[in-house]
Amino acid sequence: MLTRKQRDLLEFIHKRMQRDGVPPSFDEMKDALDLRSKSGIHRLITALEERGFIRRLAHRARAIEIVRLPEGMNGDKFVPKLIDGDGAAQTSTPGVASAMPVRVDATELPVMGRIAAGVPIEAITEVSHHVAVPGQMLDRGGEHYALEVKGDSMIDAGINDGDVVVIREQDMADNGDIVVALIEGHEATLKRYRRQKGMIALEAANPAYETRLLRENQVRIQGRLVGLIRSY
């Protein structure tokens, strides 16, 4: 037996997975249920897991498997789908009539180490591991890579320490873009890009950090932020 909030959350997760191919973030769940904090979502997720409606997989971003749906929600026939960024939804219960198929187009991107969202660190050149990224997060016709964020200078842009950012490789940027900037050939940082009177401004999204003004020949753009992956 589910409470109203538990049922509402399960229905929201199910609809988003059918629509987008990936579960919603905890922030999206919180907003959808009009809760004040993510701690309430954690309690609801735990309750759904304890009752056997969902399953969480450790060490994977947004990894939620819907095991079953309660009677009356989208009909009684349901095939649980595991969204795991492997290019397709996986069926985990054989012999059950199919529900609407969920297709996940995912790409394995190299994680090129860590990038500073704060004081610049040494330029990143080596692949540390790979991460599966939903296809809809990527720009068509471009090359992409991922970086793990270190620091808190972009928190007001929703980018936290430990997040993985998805970057489209490019050497140009528009004002307001969040970019990977290589400074003087050896320091890399994640900042908002602006041109100001012939100079390049690299802006933090945290009032504790000052904007850095640099000459154009001191900065080389290595990519633009197109997505973010967060593990809870």
Side-chain angles (χ1 to χ4, degrees), residues 138-159:
L138 308 178
D139 289 345
R140 290 185 179 181
E143 297 295 327
H144 298 77
Y145 60 93
L147 294 166
E148 183 183 349
V149 174
K150 176 181 174 63
D152 62 356
S153 77
M154 297 302 289
I155 56 173
D156 288 349
I159 302 170

Side-chain angles (χ1 to χ4, degrees), residues 80-160:
K81 303 290 182 180
L82 172 60
I83 306 302
D84 188 30
D86 61 351
Q90 303 172 0
T91 301
S92 59
T93 303
V96 182
S98 296
M100 181 183 297
V102 178
R103 176 73 185 179
V104 180
D105 294 317
T107 300
E108 288 278 336
L109 293 184
V111 179
M112 307 292 290
R114 307 183 77 184
I115 187 167
V119 179
I121 57 176
E122 288 302 306
I124 298 160
T125 58
E126 296 183 0
V127 176
S128 60
H129 59 285
H130 287 76
V131 64
V133 176
Q136 63 265 34
M137 191 179 288
L138 308 178
D139 289 345
R140 290 185 179 181
E143 297 295 327
H144 298 77
Y145 60 93
L147 294 166
E148 183 183 349
V149 174
K150 176 181 174 63
D152 62 356
S153 77
M154 297 302 289
I155 56 173
D156 288 349
I159 302 170
N160 298 334

Side-chain angles (χ1 to χ4, degrees), residues 183 194-203 210-216 218-219:
I183 301 173
R194 297 192 192 278
R195 285 179 175 270
Q196 294 183 358
K197 300 178 180 179
M199 302 286 283
I200 301 298
L202 298 178
E203 299 178 351
E210 295 182 354
T211 296
R212 296 189 66 182
L213 281 175
L214 299 156
R215 297 187 306 274
E216 289 191 23
Q218 292 179 289
V219 179

